[in-house]
Amino acid sequence: KGRPVSEDDVKAAVDGAEAWAEYAAQVGLEISYHIHTNTLIDSAEHWRLYMSLLDRVKLCIDVSHAQLWGYDPVQAIRDYRQALNYVHLQDYTSTSRDEKGRYLPVWCDVGEAENVDFPTVLETLHEIGYARWVTACPGEVPPGQEDPRNLALRSRNMREYLRRLGY
């Protein structure tokens, strides 16, 4: 905290994750690293380093975060298909960065803004034979719309959007 992340920090994170993965494997579980902006790994460069050092840890790719880092989500899926065990589809209407460099995306429901090329992402998952979990992540909930009915309607709309894409 209070300083830039170093390569040694990334390597230490890998060591910790690999230790957890070894432990989890004893009971038939996988450990999955979920890429996300504004965390220890917060650039395409550090993500590539992290992934290059992993052995047992799997990957939960969030396509929107890859895109925020300037790493084409489709290419990232292809690059890391061997480690991929979970996919988050998420989108944003706009983004900026604060004075400390933190990303400030305005999250929206999948299919609303289409900053991410979801048709090509889904085609690529099919192309590589991916057959595991895919989650569509909703955006920020507007004040006063937190009730279960509104949340269910938003989920339904995302599901209908994905169906229109053939998924």
Side-chain angles (χ1 to χ4, degrees):
K1 186 172 180 169
R3 64 171 175 78
V5 175
S6 70
E7 286 190 8
D8 288 338
D9 296 327
V10 174
K11 291 173 184 176
V14 167
D15 290 344
E18 286 294 317
W20 277 109
E22 185 176 332
Y23 176 76
Q26 296 172 32
V27 291
L29 298 175
E30 294 176 324
I31 294 296
S32 182
Y33 176 68
H34 176 194
I35 67 162
H36 208 287
T37 54
N38 302 327
T39 61
L40 179 74
I41 308 300
D42 197 22
S43 69
E45 176 187 40
H46 278 160
W47 185 28
R48 284 183 182 101
L49 174 60
Y50 188 87
M51 294 302 296
S52 74
L53 299 171
L54 293 177
D55 181 39
R56 299 183 85 147
V57 175
K58 301 298 183 186
L59 173 65
C60 169
I61 189 171
D62 186 316
V63 294
S64 63
H65 295 279
Q67 181 145 330
L68 284 167
W69 291 336
Y71 196 155
D72 176 45
V74 169
Q75 187 60 51
I77 289 168
R78 286 189 177 114
D79 289 347
Y80 301 126
R81 69 178 156 256
Q82 298 304 319
L84 196 62
N85 70 352
Y86 193 23
V87 175
H88 280 189
L89 305 178
Q90 189 169 24
D91 204 359
Y92 53 94
T93 57
S94 64
T95 191
S96 59
R97 293 179 90 168
D98 68 14
E99 64 282 347
K100 293 181 179 179
R102 291 177 51 88
Y103 291 89
L104 302 170
V106 178
W107 300 115
C108 65
D109 293 350
V110 171
E112 279 186 21
E114 297 189 41
N115 275 311
V116 176
D117 182 359
F118 292 113
T120 305
V121 164
L122 297 173
E123 287 170 18
T124 303
L125 292 173
H126 177 74
E127 172 190 307
I128 68 168
Y130 180 78
R132 296 187 76 173
W133 283 97
V134 175
T135 301
C137 302
E140 296 174 26
V141 180
Q145 295 185 14
E146 303 92 349
D147 62 282
R149 185 175 191 292
N150 274 326
L151 297 175
L153 289 172
R154 292 175 68 195
S155 291
R156 182 189 71 190
N157 291 341
M158 287 189 293
R159 181 65 188 121
E160 287 175 358
Y161 168 75
L162 293 171
R163 279 194 181 117
R164 285 193 304 276
L165 296 180
Y167 201 73

